[in-house]
């Protein structure tokens, strides 16, 4: 079993102590949960990234393994139905769906603001709209934007490694719809 230690800091200086405790715990190979911010901090993870599941606490510096297997947790049957992997700079990839059927989006900031894409399979572009089931919702996308679990894992890994958008996919720019 796991051993859990709880530190309750009753002071107006807690914001000065918590970073020290998190850093020390991580240096010792321990995972720290900041109950106030509801953030989980891992010392062995990829710094500068945060992984959040629908209804869950943000995982700060998730491990490569947590990112690679995160899509396996998605399910429309009670959730979580979507996840968000983001860099500290505000760029992110989000995915929704489950049970082998997914959709994903990628947002990147530049000098002009941001660009936002819905990701699809390469090849013929479809105008047919389909629904990807999520947890209590559906994601409306075009038929060629229905992705597999392997597709989403490829996208998350590329993003985590700070690689450019993988050109093996089709990219529909929806920035103008969202407003840059």
């Amino acid at each position: 079993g796991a051993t859990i230690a709880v530190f309750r800091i009753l002071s107006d200086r807690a914001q000065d102590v918590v970073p020290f405790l998190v850093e020390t715990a991580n240096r010792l190979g321990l995972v720290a949960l900041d109950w106030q911010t509801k953030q989980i901090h891992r010392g062995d993870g990829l710094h500068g990234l945060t992984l959040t599941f629908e209804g869950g606490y943000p995982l700060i510096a998730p491990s490569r393994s947590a990112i690679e297997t995160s899509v396996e947790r998605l399910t429309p049957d009670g959730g979580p139905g979507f996840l968000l992997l983001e860099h500290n700079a505000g760029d992110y990839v989000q995915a929704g769906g489950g049970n082998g059927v997914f959709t994903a989006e990628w947002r990147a900031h530049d000098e002009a603001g941001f660009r936002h894409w819905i990701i699809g399979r390469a090849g013929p572009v479809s105008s047919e709209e389909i629904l990807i089931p999520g947890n209590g919702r559906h994601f409306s996308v075009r038929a060629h934007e229905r992705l597999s679990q392997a597709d989403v894992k490829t996208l998350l890994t590329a993003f985590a490694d700070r690689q450019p958008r993988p050109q093996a996919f089709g990219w529909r720019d929806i920035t103008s719809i969202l407003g840059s």
Side-chain angles (χ1 to χ4, degrees), residues 2-3 12 17 26 32 38 42 46 56 61 63 70 79-81 85 100 116 147 151 160-161 177-178:
T3 300
D12 58 352
V17 176
N26 287 169
K38 305 294 190 240
R42 297 181 55 102
L46 301 171
S63 67
S70 63
L85 180 63
H116 195 107
L147 301 174
D151 292 334
D161 291 341
I177 297 170
L178 301 175

Side-chain angles (χ1 to χ4, degrees), residues 84-106:
L84 177 71
L85 180 63
E86 59 188 321
H87 286 152
N88 289 345
D91 297 345
Y92 63 81
V93 172
Q94 59 187 6
N99 300 343
V101 181
F102 302 90
T103 182
E105 298 178 10
W106 186 298

Side-chain angles (χ1 to χ4, degrees), residues 106 118-125 144-148 150-156 158 163-172:
W106 186 298
I118 296 179
I119 306 157
R121 295 183 315 273
V125 173
H144 71 282
E145 295 166 342
R146 178 182 189 256
L147 301 174
S148 70
D151 292 334
V152 176
K153 285 183 178 188
T154 297
L155 293 161
L156 291 173
Q163 296 175 359
R165 294 178 295 120
Q167 295 309 302
F169 294 92
W171 298 84
R172 179 166 55 108

Side-chain angles (χ1 to χ4, degrees), residues 23-166:
E23 181 182 322
T24 302
N26 287 169
R27 194 172 52 251
L28 294 171
L30 304 172
V31 175
L33 167 63
D34 180 341
W35 197 259
Q36 189 72 29
T37 64
K38 305 294 190 240
Q39 294 181 333
I40 301 168
H41 301 266
R42 297 181 55 102
D44 64 344
L46 301 171
H47 296 281
L49 292 175
T50 302
L51 177 64
T52 307
F53 288 93
E54 174 186 31
Y57 296 140
L59 177 58
I60 307 299
S63 67
R64 179 165 303 287
S65 174
I67 292 169
E68 290 172 353
T69 61
S70 63
V71 68
E72 296 169 14
R73 291 187 50 198
L74 297 181
T75 177
D77 305 320
F82 68 87
L83 64 80
L84 177 71
L85 180 63
E86 59 188 321
H87 286 152
N88 289 345
D91 297 345
Y92 63 81
V93 172
Q94 59 187 6
N99 300 343
V101 181
F102 302 90
T103 182
E105 298 178 10
W106 186 298
R107 178 176 286 203
H109 287 81
D110 60 22
E111 313 79 42
F114 69 83
R115 305 249 339 252
H116 195 107
W117 299 269
I118 296 179
I119 306 157
R121 295 183 315 273
V125 173
S126 172
S127 60
E128 175 193 357
E129 293 285 324
I130 63 167
L131 296 177
I132 305 288
N135 179 30
R137 70 175 55 85
H138 289 85
F139 305 100
S140 179
V141 297
R142 295 181 181 166
H144 71 282
E145 295 166 342
R146 178 182 189 256
L147 301 174
S148 70
Q149 188 178 81
D151 292 334
V152 176
K153 285 183 178 188
T154 297
L155 293 161
L156 291 173
T157 301
F159 183 82
D161 291 341
R162 292 175 166 73
Q163 296 175 359
R165 294 178 295 120

